[in-house]
Structure formats: structure tokens, C-alpha cells
Amino acid sequence: MSKNNLAELQEALNAKSVPPPRVTSPIEQQASTVASNGTYTAPSRAGKVNITAYLSPDYKSNLRLVQARTGHTLQTLVAEALNDLFQKYDVPTITGE
């Protein structure tokens, strides 16, 4: 093949090449719902706050045992425990998660 033919072939390829369609994953589709400040909040976390505590690993083990026995989520169990604490100290309990 001559240089002229190769150049014509490359030119034809360049002219007809169309980039493949972009496939978006479900995660990318969710990321398109990112807030204006650039952070993404899962719908299950909307209107909620994170409460963190550093405790002995035994607390986590026992919490996981209760979770295994009851089938409840950690959020449900922690909310229940906090409501028990609130009752003990005579402050209003919270309904819902």
C-alpha cells in the first residue's frame, strides 16, 4: 500500500470514527444527584446526623450479637438504646429513626 493510500485510509477512519457511547453505572447516575456543594448524601441519610463514640471493642461485639439475635439494624438498636437512656434521665424520647 502506498503512502497516499495509507493517508487516505487514515483520513477516512478519522472522519468516520465516532466515540463509543458513554455507559454510566448506577453509582455514576447517583453521583449526578450530588448537592451543589459537591457532596453526595445517600437518600437513607437525608435529614440525619452521624453520632460517633470511641468505646471498648466489647461494646461493638455485644452490639453485633444483639443485631444477630434480633435482625435489627445497628441504627435501630442504637436509637433504642439512646431512647432507654433518655427515659432513664427523664428527657423526651425520639420516635422513628
Side-chain angles (χ1 to χ4, degrees):
M1 205 176 253
S2 70
K3 282 188 174 184
N4 193 25
N5 285 345
L6 285 175
E8 287 175 8
L9 181 59
Q10 186 62 52
E11 196 175 305
L13 286 172
N14 291 341
K16 295 194 181 204
S17 69
V18 176
R22 190 171 184 312
V23 178
T24 58
S25 71
I27 292 172
E28 288 175 316
Q29 290 169 355
Q30 284 179 346
S32 68
T33 61
V34 171
S36 61
N37 64 1
T39 61
Y40 171 78
T41 301
S44 61
R45 294 181 179 178
K48 297 180 181 176
V49 296
N50 180 32
I51 299 174
T52 304
Y54 287 92
L55 304 168
S56 161
D58 294 336
Y59 284 98
K60 184 175 181 179
S61 297
N62 284 352
L63 189 56
R64 291 294 190 178
L65 283 173
V66 174
Q67 182 186 20
R69 289 179 182 171
T70 64
H72 296 303
T73 65
L74 290 176
Q75 288 83 357
T76 300
L77 294 173
V78 170
E80 180 182 342
L82 287 172
N83 272 332
D84 289 346
L85 179 71
F86 298 158
Q87 270 187 322
K88 177 181 176 181
Y89 289 99
D90 195 29
V91 297
T93 57
I94 312 300
T95 57
E97 270 186 57

